[in-house]
Amino acid sequence: MHRLLRLPRLTSCPLPALRRTSLSISDPFSRPTPSYSYPYRHVHGFSKWATRSPIRNILLVRKPQDSRVSQALYRVVLELRKINPDIRLFYEASVIPQDAPPNAELFEPTNLPLSTPSSSSQPPIDLVITLGGDGTILHASSLFNNGPVPPVLSFSLGTLGFLLPFHIDSMEQALKDVFCGKMSILPRMRLSCRVRPKGFNDLTEEESSITPSRWQVMNEVSLHRGSSPHLVTADTYVDDQHLTEAIADGLIVATPTGSTAYSLSSGGPIVHPAVQAMLLTPVSPMSLSFRPLVLPSWSKMRIEINERSRSSAYISMDGREAGILHPGDCVLVEASPWPIPCINVHRVSPSQDTTGDQSRGESLGHDTWVRDINMLLGFNVSFKANTGR
């Protein structure tokens, strides 16, 4: 005969209240600096903004030396002048003067910390418009390395990409919806990365002045052996706990946005960009038991080149070379407080309130992520289907 055990009564524990955020088209550069809350409490990870102040300053980021982009840029400028003749347009320094928009001013990104007063009289940017491919958006992200990023509206010109929700043919309607506040924002997570040389247990302000600045990475930070014939030996720590010693061609720490880039080609998982997480993906590891990991966004990672490593490691941030890590050097990676607010084709109805709550009101359109992984990646398409048999 079995005796029934009486379990103690469980008391309910109230969950902490989550902050509801509403990203304003002008909020990302309001004073004081805006606060982006993690996690975002929005249906499908999207948030609605309310245009509490007019859009006055727009940064145009384009793919250089492309005739199609030049023609599209001219159309965008005409439409913006039609909506508001007093809008100030800016272009960034990598664009040659011949490719610059007409009557536009040069944008000067600052590498100064937010607490450092700037002598520039440049007004805060309210909106970023990109014309090109996914690489153009990554470049736009790099222009805001030390602070919040304005909402980014991206147009493609026939190029396929995961970060291009709008085609240039829908430009007029998209701009009208943006200025009327009818679009939604998908905050795409970025990584904050910092290189720490050997011998520095913690970087003070004086020591930081001689080390590389903090990077804000949208896709991934990657360590690789480069041209060395030897594998890299690196120790990975998560929240100061030793996770593993990796012997591999390299390691990748990626965002959900970057899960469909370098990490995917190295066997990493596909993660929806609304998920707040960090991906650790090995590149050709010696051990077959080293599988990709998905970690919570609040994790703090440290990847240190082992003293016994026969090879140094080249470090890249979003595909840009950032330096070389020698034995004893390490890179610190954590979630950035400044995500990329990407304007998405997922529209919201005007009947919704301005608190960012999407539990009421009708959702218009749909998330294009499912469509993208099917069209761009051919997700789960069998070889038999491709042969036409």
Side-chain angles (χ1 to χ4, degrees):
M1 182 176 179
H2 299 284
R3 296 186 59 188
L4 296 177
L5 296 178
R6 187 178 181 84
L7 296 176
R9 184 177 180 182
L10 298 177
T11 57
S12 60
C13 179
L15 294 175
L18 294 176
R19 292 181 57 190
R20 293 179 178 177
T21 61
S22 177
L23 296 181
S24 171
I25 199 75
S26 59
D27 277 352
F29 270 95
S30 58
R31 279 78 163 177
T33 55
S35 60
Y36 293 93
S37 298
Y38 283 97
Y40 294 92
R41 185 174 183 180
H42 303 292
V43 175
H44 309 307
F46 295 91
S47 59
K48 178 181 181 293
W49 81 73
T51 52
R52 297 178 219 162
S53 61
I55 302 174
R56 296 187 178 93
N57 308 299
I58 298 179
L59 172 62
L60 300 172
V61 182
R62 54 158 296 168
K63 180 181 178 180
Q65 300 180 359
D66 190 308
S67 58
R68 295 179 307 161
V69 175
S70 298
Q71 296 173 6
L73 181 63
Y74 182 75
R75 289 176 52 196
V76 171
V77 171
L78 286 181
E79 186 64 27
L80 290 173
R81 298 295 187 194
K82 187 188 304 181
I83 295 175
N84 184 356
D86 297 326
I87 282 180
R88 294 180 64 180
L89 302 179
F90 294 84
Y91 69 95
E92 40 94 19
S94 66
V95 175
I96 60 177
Q98 292 85 346
D99 289 341
N103 301 321
E105 306 171 47
L106 179 64
F107 173 73
E108 299 176 358
T110 175
N111 292 322
L112 298 175
L114 290 177
S115 58
T116 305
S118 175
S119 59
S120 174
S121 58
Q122 182 172 268
I125 300 298
D126 301 316
L127 177 67
V128 178
I129 297 178
T130 68
L131 297 168
D134 286 354
T136 309
I137 304 177
L138 296 179
H139 178 64
S141 169
S142 69
L143 300 176
F144 301 91
N145 250 355
N146 289 293
V149 187
V152 179
L153 176 62
S154 304
F155 292 106
S156 70
L157 288 88
T159 15
L160 297 178
F162 281 92
L163 306 178
L164 305 170
F166 298 98
H167 192 271
I168 192 62
D169 292 341
S170 62
M171 178 264 300
E172 289 83 1
Q173 185 60 47
L175 287 177
K176 290 177 183 177
D177 289 339
V178 166
F179 277 80
C180 293
K182 293 182 181 179
M183 289 292 183
S184 63
I185 285 181
L186 174 60
R188 291 180 177 267
M189 176 182 171
R190 290 200 297 178
L191 298 176
S192 180
C193 309
R194 186 161 48 110
V195 173
R196 192 175 72 184
K198 179 182 178 180
F200 291 108
N201 292 329
D202 196 8
L203 293 179
T204 63
E205 291 184 3
E206 292 78 11
E207 295 165 346
S208 297
S209 62
I210 61 173
T211 62
S213 61
R214 191 182 291 265
W215 293 69
Q216 306 298 321
V217 178
M218 188 175 181
N219 266 0
E220 76 278 308
V221 49
S222 62
L223 279 71
H224 53 94
R225 62 175 178 165
S227 59
S228 172
H230 304 293
L231 299 179
V232 174
T233 303
D235 292 288
T236 302
Y237 298 83
V238 177
D239 296 330
D240 289 329
Q241 299 183 69
H242 186 262
L243 174 66
T244 186
E245 178 187 87
I247 304 177
D249 280 353
L251 290 172
I252 301 170
V253 182
T255 64
T257 296
S259 68
T260 52
Y262 189 14
S263 173
L264 179 63
S265 64
S266 300
I270 301 175
V271 182
H272 193 285
V275 176
Q276 301 297 311
M278 301 167 62
L279 285 66
L280 176 63
T281 306
V283 180
S284 302
M286 176 178 288
S287 172
L288 294 179
S289 62
F290 192 170
R291 296 302 179 188
L293 296 177
V294 179
L295 302 170
S297 61
W298 57 79
S299 301
K300 294 185 178 181
M301 298 184 60
R302 182 172 90 250
I303 301 178
E304 183 174 336
I305 307 302
N306 195 288
E307 295 284 359
R308 295 182 287 104
S309 180
R310 300 177 65 188
S311 172
S312 297
Y314 292 83
I315 181 169
S316 301
M317 310 285 187
D318 280 343
R320 295 169 295 160
E321 292 292 339
I324 301 177
L325 297 183
H326 301 286
D329 298 342
C330 68
V331 58
L332 311 176
V333 185
E334 59 184 332
S336 170
W338 304 303
I340 299 286
C342 293
I343 298 175
N344 203 276
V345 74
H346 183 103
R347 299 173 60 197
V348 292
S349 66
S351 62
Q352 289 177 274
D353 55 34
T354 58
T355 62
D357 187 1
Q358 293 196 8
S359 60
R360 297 193 300 267
E362 179 186 3
S363 176
L364 307 178
H366 59 279
D367 181 8
T368 61
W369 181 79
V370 172
R371 181 202 67 185
D372 289 342
I373 65 170
N374 279 282
M375 292 184 60
L376 304 181
L377 293 181
F379 181 71
N380 199 30
V381 175
S382 65
F383 293 103
K384 187 174 182 180
N386 288 331
T387 60
R389 295 179 181 176

